Amino acid sequence: MAIKKNQNVFSAALKKAVDDFIAKSTGEFQQRDIIETLPQELKSGSAHRLGDDIEDIIEEDSSVLCLGFNQESFDNIYVVGKNFYREAQFCISPTQEEIEKEIIFPGDRFYPFLNQSLTPLDISLAPEDFNGKIKSRKTVSSLKDLRTYHSMIDHGFFLDFIGINDKKNLENQEPQPDEKYNPSVTMKVFDFSGYFKKFEFEKGDSILLKVKDWEKGFFSFSFLPGDEKQRHFAEIKDWCDRMDDALERVFEDSGHHGNAVEQMEQAFLIDPGLMKTPYVSISEFLRFSQKTELLDFHNVKSLLWRKGANPVEDCNLPESPNISLSAGTIDSLDAILQDCSIALQEHEIEAFMRDELFRDGNSVGNVLKRCLGEREGNIFYDEAQHAAFINFIEEMWEDVSERYDKTRDAKKGNLRFKVLKVFDSQNEFIRMLENERVKPEDLPKENVLEFSRLAELLSQTLRLLNSDGKDVESSLKNFEKGFEATESMNESLMQKIKDTLGIMKAKGNE
């Protein structure tokens, strides 16, 4: 009994000493740094393996982050969250719904910059460029719409978070909700009415946040206008590439273990420079990235993974009966497009459908021919995936046809036709490069970067043209004013890329 009592005393004393060291730490540290500060009786007063005991104490402390392994000392390198995230910066890009309601949902955008012991409801915000205070209020949204603002967190935590927002929300939850289950729930949000009015906030604008007190969940922020972000397109492209690279290392090191928030935290630990002056939000990164996507595993777990890949086989989760029908992905239309390397997104196909209806056509076959050319029968993994693709297309065609109003679409229809013409020329150009088997390293980087920026602009414009809302009219008017310049720039960029490749081929033949 005396031995056990002495061991308990030793363990308690060691834990207090390690906890004190962690609380006072101001930078990176290793086990040996802790051991050096221990009193002699803790260093030699036990037969326990001191290193393992310290390791166990550190692992139980959620405030400590592991930066990696030191090959020289054969020891992990640690840092406390409050030190690692101090003055860290990140972006939030409000959705159209938030701008219209003049709110910000305290959802998953604050992860992984939020202390794990806190919830988004514990966050406090202080504007650097506005005299007013940011208070909270309540809003009502549907359950499915809310998932947009909580897609990075696991489904169970999402439901729990809804419950702590308002106890009445728990009354609406069903044990096994079906597809039609979509109750209205009350959520606490940040009131940005005064702030949005001051800066005439619109889609494309963002707020740039800075971690001021990680332990208390205190953030400062300032306005980041959309035109300012556009001037930093090169930095945005570089940031997205670096984030893709960091996440690829996470995938290689950790596989499918953990969840999206933990994966994002690991990415920042790998490349802390990603937390300095970003001009893009995580949601925008996931839209821009050609390598990374966010997956929702059977309403259980959110996971970042390689775009178009299917990690289901590696996960200890029940396989979906839908997935087993095909060797390829059939989860959604966008997933199939990515899986089959079709350089289109769902909203772009919808634009082709609206254009077909605007020109008095009534054939989904014409839409498919414009989107896929002659490739339709050769791009799918198997008949099951092909059938799923056709089913998604037919459902979308039926939905778009029912909602379409040519009279209301008159102004947008003419512009959409012009945009799709340029959009088609870009896709044909890309297919030409693929057929010529041009190597990426042979392409002129600056021209390709500008070409990609233009492609994204066209894609986002098509998304706006699909919208029936009046709030997009000003953005479309500005785009239409500069359309001739956009069209000319597209032709010029394609010609410059062709000329560069022609010169390189000529040099190769000398």
Side-chain angles (χ1 to χ4, degrees), residues 64-228:
V64 180
L65 310 174
C66 181
L67 288 170
F69 188 73
N70 188 325
Q71 296 288 351
E72 295 181 2
S73 64
F74 294 98
D75 196 0
N76 287 325
I77 304 171
Y78 298 102
V79 66
V80 178
K82 67 178 181 180
N83 299 322
F84 181 75
Y85 288 118
R86 183 182 293 119
E87 299 295 306
Q89 293 180 303
F90 61 101
C91 272
I92 287 180
S93 299
T95 65
Q96 190 62 45
E97 178 191 12
E98 289 176 306
I99 294 172
E100 291 173 358
K101 291 184 176 180
E102 299 181 324
I103 60 173
I104 292 288
F105 281 96
D108 59 17
R109 292 88 159 249
F110 293 90
Y111 291 107
F113 305 98
L114 182 64
N115 183 349
Q116 289 183 22
S117 66
L118 304 176
T119 75
L121 296 180
D122 299 312
I123 291 170
S124 56
L125 297 176
E128 298 176 354
D129 47 8
F130 179 65
N131 291 328
K133 292 184 179 181
I134 301 299
K135 298 181 180 180
S136 64
R137 61 183 174 91
K138 292 186 176 183
T139 190
V140 177
S141 294
S142 74
L143 186 68
K144 290 182 179 178
D145 287 344
L146 282 173
R147 190 64 175 134
T148 300
Y149 306 101
H150 306 84
S151 57
M152 291 279 289
I153 60 177
D154 293 345
H155 194 72
F157 183 77
F158 167 53
L159 296 178
D160 290 342
F161 183 55
I162 288 174
I164 64 174
N165 267 265
D166 193 312
K167 291 182 179 180
K168 292 181 180 178
N169 293 336
L170 295 173
E171 298 172 4
N172 295 326
Q173 290 191 25
E174 296 181 10
Q176 294 181 323
D178 57 25
E179 286 296 320
K180 296 180 181 179
Y181 176 71
N182 191 28
S184 295
V185 293
T186 302
M187 300 291 284
K188 293 177 183 176
V189 294
F190 293 115
D191 186 345
F192 266 65
S193 54
Y195 193 82
F196 282 176
K197 282 186 176 72
K198 175 184 177 181
F199 292 102
E200 298 180 348
F201 218 91
E202 60 184 12
K203 195 76 166 67
D205 294 337
S206 299
I207 56 174
L208 181 63
L209 295 100
K210 186 182 295 182
V211 180
K212 304 305 291 185
D213 191 325
W214 179 81
E215 289 183 305
K216 295 180 180 179
F218 176 59
F219 302 82
S220 65
F221 68 92
S222 58
F223 178 55
L224 180 59
D227 54 2
E228 172 72 9

Side-chain angles (χ1 to χ4, degrees), residues 309-510:
N310 188 353
V312 174
E313 296 176 359
D314 300 326
C315 294
N316 296 320
L317 293 166
E319 185 172 311
S320 163
N322 287 335
I323 294 174
S324 64
L325 293 174
S326 172
T329 298
I330 61 171
D331 290 345
S332 66
L333 181 55
D334 270 336
I336 293 175
L337 294 170
Q338 294 164 11
D339 204 29
C340 298
S341 299
I342 302 172
L344 288 170
Q345 298 178 61
E346 186 172 330
H347 73 271
E348 294 165 353
I349 294 178
E350 181 180 342
F352 279 109
M353 290 181 176
R354 287 174 175 267
D355 186 58
E356 171 74 5
L357 295 166
F358 176 73
R359 293 185 294 115
D360 295 325
N362 192 30
S363 170
V364 69
N366 290 340
V367 175
L368 286 176
K369 190 171 183 180
R370 291 183 69 184
C371 293
L372 304 179
E374 304 299 327
R375 301 177 298 156
E376 184 179 345
N378 304 315
I379 56 180
F380 299 100
Y381 275 95
D382 48 36
E383 282 303 316
Q385 189 179 56
H386 189 188
F389 172 78
I390 294 298
N391 186 54
F392 281 124
I393 291 293
E394 289 178 345
E395 286 182 358
M396 189 199 299
W397 172 254
E398 183 178 347
D399 179 58
V400 173
S401 299
E402 287 179 359
R403 291 186 291 109
Y404 186 75
D405 185 334
K406 186 175 179 179
T407 303
R408 292 179 60 190
D409 194 44
K411 292 182 180 179
K412 293 179 183 177
N414 288 315
L415 179 58
R416 184 188 298 111
F417 177 78
K418 295 177 182 178
V419 173
L420 284 173
K421 188 176 179 181
V422 180
F423 189 79
D424 276 335
S425 72
Q426 286 200 332
N427 286 335
E428 288 174 10
F429 181 70
I430 292 170
R431 284 196 288 270
M432 181 274 293
L433 295 178
E434 291 174 348
N435 291 334
E436 292 290 327
R437 297 185 178 180
V438 175
K439 297 178 181 178
E441 59 266 27
D442 291 341
L443 293 166
K445 292 183 179 179
E446 291 186 6
N447 292 334
V448 170
L449 184 66
E450 191 66 17
F451 184 79
S452 299
R453 187 197 69 79
L454 197 59
E456 177 61 25
L457 175 63
L458 293 173
S459 180
Q460 292 305 315
T461 303
L462 289 175
R463 189 188 294 275
L464 290 176
L465 287 164
N466 289 343
S467 172
D468 294 324
K470 295 181 179 179
D471 54 303
V472 303
E473 290 180 3
S474 59
S475 299
L476 290 174
K477 282 181 181 178
N478 292 332
F479 176 83
E480 191 168 15
K481 286 179 183 178
F483 181 73
E484 287 187 12
T486 300
E487 196 172 19
S488 176
M489 182 186 296
N490 182 63
E491 292 297 326
S492 175
L493 286 169
M494 291 192 296
Q495 190 58 52
K496 286 178 181 178
I497 294 171
K498 288 178 183 177
D499 291 344
T500 302
L501 294 172
I503 293 171
M504 295 183 71
K505 288 181 180 178
K507 285 182 178 181
N509 293 328
E510 289 178 0

